[in-house]
Amino acid sequence: MTLLPLALGSRLSAALIVAAVFVPVPAHAAEPTLGELAAAKGRYFGSATDNPELSDAPYVATLGREFNAITPGNAMKWDATEPQRGQFSFAKGDEIVALAQKNGQKVRGHTLVWHSQLPSWVSNGGFPAAELRSILQNHVTTVASHYKGQVMHWDVVNEPFNDDGTFRDSVFYSTLGQSYIADALRAARAADPGAKLYINDYNTDGIGAKSDAMYNLVKSLKSQGVPIDGVGFQGHLALQYGLPSQVQQNLQRFADLGVDVAITELDIRMVLPADSAKLSTQAAWYSDVTKACLAVSRCVGITVWDYTDKYSWIPGVFPGQGAALPYDENLAPKPAYAALRTALGGGTTPPDPGLSCKVSYKVVSQWNTGFTGSVTVTNTGSAAINGWSLAFSFPGDQKVTQGWSAEWSQTGAAVAAKNASWNGTLAAGASTTIGFNATHSGINAVPTAFSLNGGNCSLG
Ligand code: G3I
């Protein structure tokens, strides 16, 4: 906060001037976040997240600030919640629900019945139909009951179709036929009547054989009185395959069946390396998908499948592809982020996290295979920083082997340094210097971008 004197007229007495009223005003008017912009349009804007990421303070800060809904990326799946028959484990899901509640975020439950991340005791159990049906009902009932009242939507059934629109030959379909879908939905409704129940799939975003199959399924479930409230369109898109056609019309035809629709796992990957042309096409697609959702009154929200390239599932599954999310690996917003803000009706300026910083990076000494680095962080803002995490990426193969004056960690090229107990508070104008030893080969190029608590720092 900055204290500014109110304009005072010259006719005021000297005594009054001495007693001039000061009103606190924010140093910068905070821009609304993606979540706030979506909320102003009656929607949510969410992100997936996963438990291992929750130890990354800058990541958690942006997750908590920018999004008003969370989907656990793995924590509520069958292999996490019932790894052995009848033995349920909710620790990971509970951790994410607790974080969401602390942040005032909604939770999309993901997912109760899916062919993947299904423990082998289910997929290879060879159960007769009656027993498998009871296993499925027990799983759905137990998990949905545990989270009763805490989950806004459940992806009750995930990915029931093949790309050609035939039913996927999962153990559930091959043993029970398509009746497993209605059974799962009924069990979920009975366990948590307040949660909206969804079926969720990928490659159903535009109009085509697979979305036609989903459409026919939902129509038939509705006509039989099976509880179904929504359809999730995952939105795993790729620049090299083109933007699916008729996304808005597709969402609308489902809405016209009397269900809600949501974009549940949006990411837009590209063949690496990213360049400005690809990032700008990606930004345009994020905008197009968002506008398609906003144009359909029953499209209730959008979720990105994690928000930063640092934690995307894509490079692990599609080698050579990635850069799919609105924030880069250093948690800096990309053109897609600005495009999302504009599509949601906001300005393009990122919200001011109330922080301003300067970083000076020095190679103190260097030898063939290693070097010692020092980083001075200065709080150039007007308020104290209480607890900080510095993030940057090495341009080469440098690896931190030892660090001091901060808790150092490194994943791939991305380095994080969290304050030590004694230098967590940086008063306005204060600096602290932290250091590390690292290995390297070839040119020991210096990092060029640094962020503190998710806000970019200047170099100096
Ligand atoms: O937990 C183990 C760890 O113990 C082990 O050391 C490590 C070694 O590979 O694997 C870890 O499990 C990984 C798990 O994520 C948790 O991180 C699995 O290998 C990995 O396959 C799994 O990937 C998940 C993927 O679903 C599985 O299909 C992704 O994180 C998750 O983002 C992704 O999400 C799916 C949605 O649920 C459905 N729609 C598609 C979407 C993307 O594939």
Side-chain angles (χ1 to χ4, degrees):
M1 298 288 208
T2 311
L3 295 175
L4 290 182
L6 284 177
L8 296 168
S10 56
R11 63 183 185 280
L12 286 178
S13 71
L16 258 180
I17 292 171
V18 170
V21 181
F22 285 79
V23 278
V25 297
H28 304 278
E31 292 282 333
T33 64
L34 293 176
E36 287 163 351
L37 289 168
K41 300 209 174 277
R43 314 303 210 278
Y44 62 85
F45 200 98
S47 172
T49 190
D50 207 358
N51 303 73
E53 301 156 23
L54 303 183
S55 58
D56 178 341
Y59 167 84
V60 172
T62 298
L63 180 72
R65 184 186 68 238
E66 198 71 36
F67 302 94
N68 56 359
I70 295 190
T71 305
N74 287 299
M76 292 183 180
K77 291 172 178 174
W78 199 312
D79 62 353
T81 51
E82 193 184 6
Q84 270 91 43
R85 186 169 182 179
Q87 291 180 19
F88 288 87
S89 165
F90 295 115
K92 290 181 176 172
D94 289 356
E95 184 186 15
I96 290 176
V97 169
L99 176 72
Q101 289 175 350
K102 189 178 121 217
N103 291 332
Q105 295 161 316
K106 295 168 179 161
V107 177
R108 290 200 84 255
H110 177 83
T111 173
L112 295 170
V113 180
W114 189 27
H115 68 279
S116 179
Q117 287 170 286
L118 184 64
S120 63
W121 72 262
V122 186
S123 47
N124 299 327
F127 298 110
E131 191 171 4
L132 186 64
R133 195 180 303 281
S134 123
I135 286 169
L136 177 146
Q137 287 168 332
N138 183 52
H139 181 79
V140 171
T141 301
T142 307
V143 178
S145 299
H146 179 82
Y147 290 110
K148 184 177 177 181
Q150 299 180 299
V151 161
M152 132 179 101
H153 299 164
W154 265 115
D155 287 333
V156 177
V157 175
N158 195 38
E159 302 176 4
F161 290 110
N162 295 314
D163 278 351
D164 65 2
T166 56
F167 278 100
R168 184 189 290 275
D169 199 21
S170 67
V171 67
F172 303 113
Y173 183 73
S174 63
T175 313
L176 302 171
Q178 71 180 82
S179 68
Y180 86 88
I181 297 173
D183 285 352
L185 288 161
R186 289 193 177 106
R189 176 68 95 231
D192 186 356
K196 300 270 188 199
L197 307 182
Y198 278 65
I199 304 182
N200 190 49
D201 215 325
Y202 62 89
N203 287 351
T204 49
D205 316 295
I207 292 183
K210 195 171 184 180
S211 62
D212 287 350
M214 179 68 93
Y215 181 85
N216 291 331
L217 171 66
V218 173
K219 197 171 175 184
S220 138
L221 291 169
K222 291 284 284 183
S223 73
Q224 295 165 62
V226 176
I228 166 90
D229 304 308
V231 178
F233 300 82
Q234 292 185 5
H236 292 297
L237 309 182
L239 289 189
Q240 65 271 27
Y241 302 134
L243 185 64
S245 62
Q246 299 181 284
V247 173
Q248 182 186 324
Q249 292 85 336
N250 192 40
L251 297 176
Q252 188 63 56
R253 70 172 171 154
F254 279 88
D256 293 343
L257 289 176
V259 289
D260 290 341
V261 294
I263 310 293
T264 52
E265 304 183 16
L266 184 60
D267 51 24
I268 303 173
R269 64 187 187 268
M270 60 186 68
V271 175
L272 298 172
D275 59 31
S276 57
K278 290 181 204 171
L279 291 172
S280 121
T281 306
Q282 179 190 54
W285 288 23
Y286 268 106
S287 170
D288 290 344
V289 171
T290 302
K291 286 180 184 161
C293 177
L294 293 176
V296 175
S297 60
R298 290 199 77 153
C299 185
V300 295
I302 298 172
T303 300
V304 286
W305 204 240
D306 226 316
Y307 71 85
T308 156
D309 296 334
K310 187 173 182 181
Y311 295 123
S312 173
W313 64 288
I314 286 172
V317 174
F318 298 106
Q321 298 181 43
L325 292 165
Y327 287 73
D328 72 13
E329 294 197 344
N330 294 314
L331 307 183
K334 293 157 62 176
Y337 172 81
L340 283 168
R341 295 182 57 76
T342 310
L344 289 166
T348 51
T349 320
D352 177 9
L355 184 146
S356 137
C357 48
K358 188 175 75 181
V359 164
S360 152
Y361 176 98
K362 288 197 180 73
V363 174
V364 178
S365 63
Q366 183 169 324
W367 54 98
N368 273 355
T369 56
F371 69 105
T372 299
S374 104
V375 186
T376 300
V377 180
T378 304
N379 175 6
T380 49
S382 53
I385 295 171
N386 294 307
W388 49 265
S389 184
L390 175 76
F392 63 90
S393 285
F394 284 125
D397 65 353
Q398 296 99 327
K399 288 267 174 308
V400 173
T401 53
Q402 186 196 7
W404 47 92
S405 303
E407 287 172 33
W408 292 84
S409 61
Q410 184 171 349
T411 309
V415 178
K418 272 198 250 182
N419 65 269
S421 55
W422 51 270
N423 62 1
T425 299
L426 285 178
S431 297
T432 189
T433 297
I434 60 179
F436 62 92
N437 287 329
T439 56
H440 76 92
S441 66
I443 300 166
N444 182 17
V446 302
T448 51
F450 297 83
S451 69
L452 199 71
N453 295 354
N456 290 337
C457 300
S458 61
L459 298 175

